[in-house]
Amino acid sequence: MEFIKGITFAPFAAQGSFANEKAKQSLKSLQERTGANFIILVPNGLQDTAQSEVIDFKSKANVSDEELREMIRFAKSLGLKVALKPTANCKNGTWRAHINFFDKDVHCEPKWHNWFKSYTDFQVHYARIAQEEGCEMMIAGCEMVMSERRADEWRKLIDDIKQVYHGLVSYNTDKYQEDNVTWWDAVDVISSSGYYPLEDWEKELDRIEKVVEHFQKPFFFAEAGCMSTAHSSEVPNDWGKTGEVALEEQAAWYEAMFKACSKRSWVSGFAMWDWPWKQYDLKEAAKDKGYTLYGKPAEQVIKKYYSR
């Protein structure tokens, strides 16, 4: 697998977003300003709660298939490689990691097998698009922590994806979960969310390295990022963090991540979180506290490393 110099572009974009010319302008800006050669697109599947069995990926909260196909084609016209990562979310705001059901079926209660059927339909739908549009990777979801113990269902899902998609297949587990997934042998590429505190990178990489050595698979961080909010480098996964703007702290976090990972030959890339389809005015970058990279010192750090 070639080294991935990636950015997650416009995650969970709503219907009509990719049809807006500003989205294409933003993607061109991403490539020019970061040196990225790879993007991840994140179709949005919604279920009502963490105990709902049905995932809706045809709602207005998700880009249409036509928009998605057009964006993939546009990205490829720029020379970018593309991965699709269809991701399930809960309408009530519960984090997807908490989607969970009883391990034994109980009458009148929601069941794993019903959920996995809906989730498989969701994933295979986009696997077909990934195959037809020549995407370089299919990532079978993100941070589904409570479901990951269901190894048989995940193995069946990965096999179903591979029946229709013939490129690299990965799955994006959450931070700290890399050594809890038992079915990495079923995928082609191991990936995880690299939201580790600035001071902890070496320790966490030591832990992840044992997983990579055991399964002998390529590895990359399918997500990695830190907000430009004070003290976010201590808890980069906390998107609810409040505080003052801290642009240099965000940049320092990226420096620490790249420095640590550059010593590990088995880290085969990144897909930073994130780059919006609709950019704020560049003059507003100094006020933004989120994960967005546009116009911030962190963007320059990424460009430096991606240009090597």
Side-chain angles (χ1 to χ4, degrees):
M1 186 179 78
E2 293 184 14
F3 193 89
I4 292 172
K5 302 176 182 180
I7 307 279
T8 299
F9 179 69
F12 314 129
Q15 189 176 109
S17 300
F18 286 0
N20 191 310
E21 189 60 30
K22 290 181 180 179
K24 291 183 178 179
Q25 294 171 3
S26 181
L27 184 57
K28 289 181 67 176
S29 177
L30 176 158
Q31 183 183 39
E32 293 165 359
R33 298 181 68 94
T34 69
N37 64 5
F38 189 102
I39 61 167
I40 295 180
L41 300 176
V42 190
N44 189 19
L46 291 175
Q47 56 187 80
D48 290 336
T49 72
Q51 280 69 54
S52 299
E53 296 175 320
V54 177
I55 299 165
D56 178 12
F57 54 92
K58 298 291 188 180
S59 74
K60 292 184 178 180
N62 188 25
V63 293
S64 68
D65 290 352
E66 292 74 18
E67 289 177 81
L68 180 63
R69 288 178 184 274
E70 176 57 29
M71 185 57 71
I72 295 169
R73 293 167 189 169
F74 180 70
K76 287 187 161 295
S77 76
L78 298 177
L80 292 167
K81 296 181 179 180
V82 180
L84 295 189
K85 185 172 73 173
T87 299
N89 289 301
C90 300
K91 291 181 183 178
N92 68 354
T94 302
W95 179 32
R96 71 188 78 92
H98 297 293
I99 294 171
N100 197 18
F101 306 95
F102 296 150
D103 279 334
K104 292 185 177 179
D105 285 356
V106 177
H107 293 300
C108 302
E109 297 291 347
K111 299 171 180 62
W112 273 120
H113 70 263
N114 291 334
W115 182 84
F116 265 104
K117 181 182 183 305
S118 186
Y119 190 77
T120 299
D121 290 344
F122 175 43
Q123 294 294 320
V124 169
H125 175 82
Y126 288 104
R128 288 195 177 95
I129 292 176
Q131 177 65 24
E132 291 167 4
E133 299 298 336
C135 292
E136 281 73 19
M137 187 180 291
M138 173 71 190
I139 305 174
C142 177
E143 303 170 352
M144 309 296 294
V145 178
M146 298 303 291
S147 75
E148 290 171 1
R149 69 184 187 274
R150 307 288 294 189
D152 290 346
E153 286 96 333
W154 276 101
R155 290 179 185 280
K156 176 64 165 57
L157 167 66
I158 299 301
D159 184 65
D160 288 344
I161 288 171
K162 288 186 173 185
Q163 296 302 309
V164 300
Y165 175 73
H166 308 307
L168 295 173
V169 176
S170 185
Y171 166 72
N172 177 181
T173 193
D174 192 32
K175 60 204 173 295
Y176 304 106
Q177 306 303 318
E178 297 92 348
D179 48 356
N180 288 332
V181 176
T182 62
W183 40 270
W184 285 129
D185 55 289
V187 302
D188 303 306
V189 180
I190 299 170
S191 62
S192 73
S193 294
Y195 298 102
Y196 291 116
L198 184 148
E199 300 294 337
D200 291 355
W201 273 104
E202 294 291 354
K203 176 180 68 175
E204 299 305 335
L205 288 169
D206 284 344
R207 179 180 55 79
I208 299 168
E209 185 167 338
K210 295 175 183 177
V211 178
V212 175
E213 288 178 346
H214 176 76
F215 286 99
Q216 291 292 298
K217 300 280 184 175
F219 172 90
F220 82 112
F221 286 107
E223 288 186 22
C226 177
M227 297 201 304
S228 49
T229 299
H231 305 295
S232 283
S233 65
E234 302 165 14
V235 281
N237 60 298
D238 186 0
W239 54 267
K241 186 75 174 168
T242 60
E244 299 298 317
V245 177
L247 301 179
E248 295 301 331
E249 182 177 345
Q250 182 189 39
W253 183 89
Y254 274 99
E255 283 279 6
M257 179 194 70
F258 280 123
K259 183 178 179 181
C261 290
S262 66
K263 294 182 283 186
R264 315 282 179 143
S265 61
W266 50 268
V267 176
S268 298
F270 312 85
M272 307 312 181
W273 190 276
D274 66 335
W275 194 280
W277 72 265
K278 185 179 181 181
Q279 296 173 320
Y280 44 68
D281 189 289
L282 199 54
K283 293 180 291 186
E284 300 298 313
K287 302 177 185 178
D288 186 83
K289 300 180 182 181
Y291 288 98
T292 308
L293 304 164
Y294 179 54
K296 298 178 182 178
E299 176 194 86
Q300 298 169 26
V301 174
I302 293 168
K303 180 71 175 285
K304 178 178 68 174
Y305 280 91
Y306 277 5
S307 297
R308 290 182 177 179

